[in-house]
């Protein structure tokens, strides 16, 4: 059983940078394909970045070239490096598995607010 805890969010100015962390617990974490989701105010949750157990990555068009997803399986961690942030990036960010019909239990997420 994997538990997920997101951290690293905060308030940043447009054009700024922020790195989010996802800490997983459980022995099976390293073989899971993982991703970052976000949910903005009044919006449905969307998938913004993915990374497979082998390290292959994909990004939504809205964040491509600005966000970088990575992982450290030895530490059971997944990261999201964000740069050139825009107000439309404002959302609660969550990590979870991808490419699977059944997701893990959602963590509480971490709030990212981009505002001047």
């Amino acid at each position: 059983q994997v538990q997920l805890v997101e951290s690293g969010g905060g308030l940043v100015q447009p054009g700024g940078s922020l790195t989010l962390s996802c800490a997983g617990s459980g022995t099976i974490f390293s073989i899971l394909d993982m991703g970052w989701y976000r949910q903005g105010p009044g919006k449905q949750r969307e998938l913004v970045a993915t990374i497979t157990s082998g390290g292959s990555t994909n990004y939504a068009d809205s964040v491509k070239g600005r966000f970088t997803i990575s992982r450290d399986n030895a530490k059971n961690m997944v990261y999201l490096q964000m740069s050139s942030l825009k107000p439309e990036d404002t959302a609660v960010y969550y990590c979870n598995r991808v490419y699977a019909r059944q997701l893990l239990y959602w963590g509480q997420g971490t709030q990212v607010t981009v505002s001047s």
Side-chain angles (χ1 to χ4, degrees):
Q1 298 180 354
V2 176
Q3 293 180 299
L4 302 170
V5 180
E6 300 93 346
S7 62
L11 175 64
V12 296
Q13 293 185 323
S17 300
L18 203 61
T19 297
L20 308 182
S21 298
C22 171
S25 62
T27 60
I28 207 67
F29 179 81
S30 64
I31 69 169
L32 301 181
D33 300 329
M34 297 293 296
W36 284 95
Y37 302 76
R38 69 185 182 188
Q39 187 169 25
K43 311 270 289 185
Q44 70 177 13
R45 184 176 289 117
E46 63 175 341
L47 181 64
V48 298
T50 67
I51 184 166
T52 68
S53 61
S56 298
T57 60
N58 280 102
Y59 301 92
D61 288 342
S62 59
V63 308
K64 192 171 299 181
R66 301 187 298 117
F67 289 13
T68 301
I69 188 171
S70 61
R71 69 192 299 165
D72 185 342
N73 287 335
K75 298 180 178 179
N76 283 353
M77 297 288 288
V78 179
Y79 306 98
L80 186 67
Q81 300 174 79
M82 306 181 294
S83 62
S84 302
L85 284 163
K86 306 173 181 179
E88 48 262 49
D89 295 319
T90 296
V92 179
Y93 285 72
Y94 304 86
C95 60
N96 214 312
R97 67 183 306 184
V98 295
Y99 309 136
R101 187 170 298 275
Q102 181 65 55
L103 302 186
L104 304 171
Y105 286 112
W106 295 99
Q108 67 179 17
T110 186
Q111 175 73 51
V112 173
T113 302
V114 185
S115 177
S116 59

